[in-house]
Amino acid sequence: MRFGLIAHPTDAATMTEAAVLSEQLGYDALYVGDHLFYYADPDASWLDGWPVLSAWIPLTTRIRLGMLTTNLSWRSPVTVARATITLDVLSGGRIDLGVGVGRTADQAMAGMLEMSDAERVARLDEGLVVLDRLLRGDHAPFAGRFTTYQQAQTEPGCVQTPRVPLIVAAHGPRTLQSAARHAGVWSSYGGFGLDFEEMVALTRQRSQTLTEHCEAIGRDPSSIGRSLLALAIDPWRDPDALARLVDEMSRIQVDELVFILPRPARRAEFERTSLQRMPHLR
């Protein structure tokens, strides 16, 4: 079992603290979100995820860093590929790229709030094809519904081979099909407002659907890692719930749990759980 954190830095100090603390406490991965503003509190301070990822690189040496997730409904997969290659080179091969369809209100700033679900899914599926090609160094011309280019250039290319790992956030049947085709890791957040049992049951159901989609296309379901952004528990206040979650998720082959980095006021219980409980739960 891998453990990761997702942070939403509001200034230089919280950005630095997230990177240093995550690595010191032994976490496997540190992620940042991709939003134009904090949709739950539009007036709150919010730093863009891509520059934050770049700033985290020199602050860390071991921990993997990633986007969870970037929005292919309004970001070009070509520019995402270029940014990802750059970060992979600068980090010495420690970057993971999470992508999804996006459904939050900040997309209004990109003029795409009313985009249909069908178009979101189509952009994700085509974008994954483009990302896979470019991150592998495939320079052949591409002509799709949303992305077209006659020439491509990706030098110096990814440090990781055959490319940077792709994490696909998916919950519905169509996006789970995209994950089955393209993902190195499937990511779910369960859902907002769920209790523990509801989150476990829903994740189990989606994981089974992903397995069925893999089997339908002849892909080994075990070739996809499975990651859960666990919103339904407070692992720092209730380590026993954390242990239950590890047990439940391991039964359905979920091999990474990601938690929101808590506020400084929670520092003591956060560090205690991280240092005393998580190593045993691995």
Side-chain angles (χ1 to χ4, degrees):
M1 183 67 68
R2 286 163 37 95
F3 293 107
L5 294 169
I6 184 168
H8 306 297
T10 59
D11 52 32
T14 56
M15 180 198 67
T16 300
E17 181 184 49
V20 173
L21 196 59
S22 298
E23 185 157 275
Q24 286 179 344
L25 294 177
Y27 281 86
D28 299 289
L30 175 61
Y31 300 103
V32 67
D34 182 29
H35 301 288
L36 294 176
F37 59 86
Y38 183 34
Y39 50 89
D41 183 3
D43 295 325
S45 177
W46 185 267
L47 301 185
D48 185 72
W50 285 98
V52 166
L53 270 184
S54 181
W56 277 345
I57 290 172
L59 297 173
T60 57
T61 60
R62 175 199 56 80
I63 196 169
R64 295 194 65 82
L65 305 170
M67 184 65 69
L68 196 68
T69 59
T70 203
N71 191 334
L72 290 188
S73 293
W74 51 270
R75 287 204 187 270
S76 162
V78 174
T79 56
V80 168
R82 288 300 316 182
T84 302
I85 290 169
T86 299
L87 293 174
D88 199 45
V89 170
L90 295 177
S91 68
R94 293 188 288 125
I95 294 297
D96 295 316
L97 175 61
V99 298
V101 297
R103 295 209 56 163
T104 51
D106 62 332
Q107 289 184 191
M109 285 182 66
M112 295 182 177
L113 186 62
E114 301 303 322
M115 184 183 294
S116 69
D117 288 347
E119 182 175 342
R120 293 175 191 275
V121 174
R123 285 180 178 273
L124 172 66
D125 205 54
E126 182 179 294
L128 284 165
V129 173
V130 173
L131 286 169
D132 180 64
R133 290 164 63 110
L134 294 177
L135 294 176
R136 290 178 185 270
D138 182 348
H139 296 167
F142 180 83
R145 177 180 170 189
F146 307 105
T147 302
T148 299
Y149 53 82
Q150 296 302 316
Q151 295 179 324
Q153 178 53 264
T154 58
E155 294 301 327
C158 296
V159 172
Q160 300 177 80
T161 57
R163 56 161 168 72
V164 167
L166 289 177
I167 304 169
V168 180
H171 298 94
R174 291 175 294 177
T175 52
L176 285 167
Q177 286 180 328
S178 294
R181 286 191 293 268
H182 304 291
V185 175
W186 163 60
S187 173
S188 172
Y189 66 91
F192 294 110
L194 302 181
D195 62 24
F196 183 93
E197 287 74 17
E198 290 170 334
M199 180 180 68
V200 170
L202 192 54
T203 304
R204 182 185 298 113
Q205 174 188 332
R206 289 167 173 162
S207 182
Q208 179 58 36
T209 300
L210 177 65
T211 293
E212 293 168 359
H213 286 321
C214 287
E215 291 172 343
I217 61 174
R219 180 175 182 182
D220 179 0
S222 67
S223 67
I224 299 182
R226 305 185 188 214
S227 176
L228 175 68
L229 173 57
L231 302 179
I233 72 166
D234 184 341
W236 329 122
R237 180 171 292 121
D238 189 356
D240 290 336
L242 171 63
R244 288 176 55 207
L245 183 63
V246 169
D247 182 59
E248 293 283 358
M249 291 297 100
S250 64
R251 296 175 189 272
I252 57 174
Q253 289 77 54
V254 170
D255 51 20
E256 181 185 60
L257 296 176
V258 180
F259 303 100
I260 297 174
L261 180 69
R263 297 180 181 275
R266 310 285 308 280
R267 176 66 53 77
E269 55 188 353
F270 165 57
E271 293 190 5
R272 182 168 57 250
T273 300
S274 300
L275 293 172
Q276 296 178 6
R277 297 298 295 269
M278 286 188 172
H280 301 288
L281 292 173
R282 291 183 186 278

